Each structure stands twice: as structure tokens, then as C-alpha cells.
């Protein structure tokens, strides 16, 4: 529980010639923001650090002491100060919110720069294309991890494993062509195909089979639950492809049209 009667803390952290502990910096910043006067004590060598760990019977640094009582490392300090500590295994939608939030702002910015108006039809179209591109980037960061997670639910990948490796390139390639407004005869069928397969796969896994899985939509290392978000990604691709196809059939243009 937070002790409001004392505002003095002693912090031991690693500050070496080639390494400064980032959690030590975070601990110092947190203490100062909470109004503590910090006695900042540096551990400048590996031997000094190891000796400190043995003396206090701890495995890690930094270590914070308040009123002579050892509080512990950075996470322990956050708990002591009644701050939240993120569980690395907990599910979260933060990666998805970050992607869609930034791609929406990008679409608004490009529309404003191009047409002098942020709210145009192209804003929505660019938003979908930018989202596809960024999601493809996240998948390509670790394609092995993505393809493994993807195999848990994608119907085509289960039958043809290589599809899990092709998918991010197909999504990214279709997105780039959509942004450029080029080679619609490639981008439309690709987006329509992978979006339809993806939507059916997610719907079956989540809403029919009632499986609780992690979504590979933002890469294979995320804790985003499979469900509405991944379904939205695929529906967006299908909608974009159908919109562009309709524009082709009616003789109008989808992207880059006033």
C-alpha cells in the first residue's frame, strides 16, 4: 500500500559504459513523478551488480527501497504505488486499435493533402487499403509465427500450408495496388479471394465451432482474440474488392476519383 508519509527512496540500478538498464530509468522516472526524492545509486560493473544481488538475495535489478524496506523491481514498484501492471498473457485489442487509429488518420491526412478535404469518399477507400498494408507489415515481421497461428483456423491453410506464407504478401500486394489505383485486374480478385476465405474461416472457428483462439491478423505474436476484429479485416477486403469491381463495371473509378 502506498505510504504517503515518506517521499524518499533509494534506487539501485545498472549504469555501465555500454549498458544502462531501461527499467532502472523507468523506476527513477516513476518515483520522481510520484513526488519522491531519489537517492540514485549506480551499479557500474558486472561484479558490483552480482555482489549487490547476492547481498540482497535478489535476481534482478533495479531494486527500490523506501524507508529501508525493499520494494523490489520495476513491476513491484508499480504495484506498490497502486499502478497497473500489464499481464503479458492477457488478451488485448490495443494492437488493433493502434493500427486502425493510425491508418484512419493517415487516410484523413492524405485526403486533405490531395483534395483539401479530409472527409471524402477516398478517405474510406484509403483507410481500408492502408489498413491492409499495415496489417501485412505486421504479419511479415515474423512470417513463421504468423503462419503457425494462421494454421489454427484458416480453412485453406489447413489444406495447403504454403498459403499461410503467401497470405501476407497477397494482402500487402493488393493493398499497394489499391493505393496506387493500378492493376485492378490483380488487386480485386486477390482481395476478394483472401478476404472471402478469411471471413468464412473466422466465422466457422468462432461462431460455429465456438473455439477460443488468438488472432493472427496483427502478426503471430499478439494476444488479440480471434473474432470480430479478424472478421472485420476480411470483410473490409471483400467490401473494397466489390466496390472496385462495381466501379469497373459502371465505368467509374474507385480510388483517385472526385
Amino acid at each position: 500500500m502506498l505510504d504517503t508519509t515518506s517521499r524518499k527512496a533509494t534506487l539501485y540500478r545498472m549504469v555501465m559504459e555500454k549498458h544502462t538498464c531501461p527499467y532502472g530509468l523507468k523506476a527513477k522516472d516513476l518515483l520522481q513523478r510520484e513526488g519522491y526524492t531519489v537517492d540514485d545509486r549506480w551499479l557500474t560493473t558486472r561484479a558490483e551488480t552480482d555482489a549487490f544481488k547476492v547481498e540482497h538475495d535478489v535476481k534482478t535489478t533495479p531494486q527500490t527501497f523506501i524507508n529501508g524496506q525493499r520494494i523490489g523491481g520495476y513491476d513491484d514498484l508499480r504495484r506498490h504505488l497502486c499502478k497497473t501492471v500489464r499481464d503479458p498473457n492477457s488478451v488485448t485489442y490495443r494492437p488493433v486499435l493502434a493500427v486502425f487509429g493510425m491508418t484512419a488518420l493517415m487516410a484523413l491526412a492524405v485526403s486533405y493533402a490531395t483534395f483539401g478535404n479530409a472527409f471524402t469518399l477516398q478517405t474510406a477507400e484509403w483507410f481500408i487499403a492502408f489498413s491492409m498494408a499495415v496489417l501485412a507489415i505486421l504479419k511479415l515481421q515474423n512470417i513463421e509465427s504468423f503462419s503457425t497461428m494462421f494454421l489454427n483456423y484458416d480453412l485453406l491453410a489447413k489444406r495447403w500450408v504454403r498459403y499461410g506464407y503467401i497470405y501476407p504478401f497477397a494482402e500487402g500486394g493488393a493493398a499497394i495496388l489499391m493505393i496506387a489505383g493500378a492493376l485492378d485486374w490483380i488487386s480485386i480478385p486477390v482481395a476478394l479471394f483472401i478476404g472471402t476465405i478469411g471471413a468464412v474461416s473466422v466465422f466457422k472457428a468462432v461462431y460455429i465451432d465456438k473455439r477460443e483462439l488468438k488472432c493472427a491478423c496483427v502478426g503471430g505474436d499478439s494476444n488479440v482474440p480471434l473474432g470480430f476484429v479478424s472478421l472485420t479485416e476480411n470483410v473490409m477486403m471483400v467490401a473494397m474488392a466489390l466496390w472496385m469491381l462495381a466501379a469497373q463495371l459502371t465505368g467509374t473509378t474507385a480510388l483517385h476519383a472526385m
Side-chain angles (χ1 to χ4, degrees):
M1 184 174 181
L2 178 60
D3 181 0
T4 59
T5 64
S6 175
R7 290 297 178 186
K8 293 183 179 180
T10 302
L11 174 66
Y12 293 86
R13 62 188 181 96
M14 292 174 60
V15 181
M16 302 180 184
E17 182 179 355
K18 295 184 179 180
H19 174 69
T20 298
C21 177
Y23 290 103
L25 289 171
K26 285 186 172 185
K28 181 182 177 183
D29 175 70
L30 177 58
L31 286 164
Q32 290 176 334
R33 285 190 287 110
E34 290 295 310
Y36 283 84
T37 299
V38 181
D39 180 7
D40 189 17
R41 301 189 182 184
W42 294 3
L43 303 170
T44 57
T45 66
R46 175 56 60 184
E48 188 177 4
T49 301
D50 291 341
F52 171 84
K53 291 178 180 179
V54 171
E55 179 184 355
H56 294 279
D57 191 24
V58 296
K59 295 182 179 180
T60 62
T61 60
Q63 291 291 323
T64 301
F65 293 77
I66 297 177
N67 292 339
Q69 176 187 356
R70 186 176 69 84
I71 304 302
Y74 177 65
D75 285 348
D76 296 320
L77 176 62
R78 288 190 62 86
R79 294 186 186 96
H80 179 78
L81 298 175
C82 302
K83 306 292 184 181
T84 59
V85 176
R86 179 181 174 273
D87 180 358
N89 297 317
S90 63
V91 297
T92 176
Y93 287 99
R94 182 174 295 180
V96 178
L97 294 175
V99 169
F100 289 157
M102 286 302 299
T103 53
L105 291 173
M106 290 166 60
L108 290 167
V110 173
S111 181
Y112 182 81
T114 305
F115 306 118
N117 181 5
F119 300 97
T120 64
L121 179 61
Q122 280 67 43
T123 302
E125 296 169 349
W126 275 319
F127 166 62
I128 295 175
F130 290 159
S131 296
M132 289 170 58
V134 173
L135 290 169
I137 292 171
L138 294 174
K139 295 176 177 72
L140 289 168
Q141 287 183 107
N142 189 338
I143 195 166
E144 285 293 339
S145 181
F146 162 76
S147 62
T148 300
M149 188 178 291
F150 195 55
L151 283 168
N152 281 320
Y153 58 88
D154 189 84
L155 297 175
L156 179 55
K158 286 182 175 183
R159 293 178 174 273
W160 182 38
V161 173
R162 299 309 300 174
Y163 178 63
Y165 294 88
I166 294 171
Y167 183 95
F169 293 98
E171 182 179 35
I176 296 302
L177 292 177
M178 288 175 174
I179 294 169
L183 302 179
D184 291 346
W185 59 275
I186 295 178
S187 64
I188 292 174
V190 168
L192 190 59
F193 178 80
I194 66 176
T196 300
I197 295 296
V200 172
S201 298
V202 172
F203 187 85
K204 180 179 184 301
V206 175
Y207 300 105
I208 297 178
D209 297 340
K210 306 294 184 181
R211 300 175 64 196
E212 295 184 1
L213 299 169
K214 292 180 180 179
C215 179
C217 56
V218 290
D221 300 320
S222 77
N223 286 326
V224 176
L226 182 68
F228 177 76
V229 173
S230 186
L231 186 60
T232 299
E233 174 194 9
N234 289 288
V235 169
M236 280 172 36
M237 278 194 282
V238 172
M240 185 69 167
L242 291 176
W243 170 257
M244 294 176 66
L245 181 61
Q248 292 286 324
L249 294 176
T250 58
T252 61
T253 57
L255 287 167
H256 308 298
M258 291 295 290

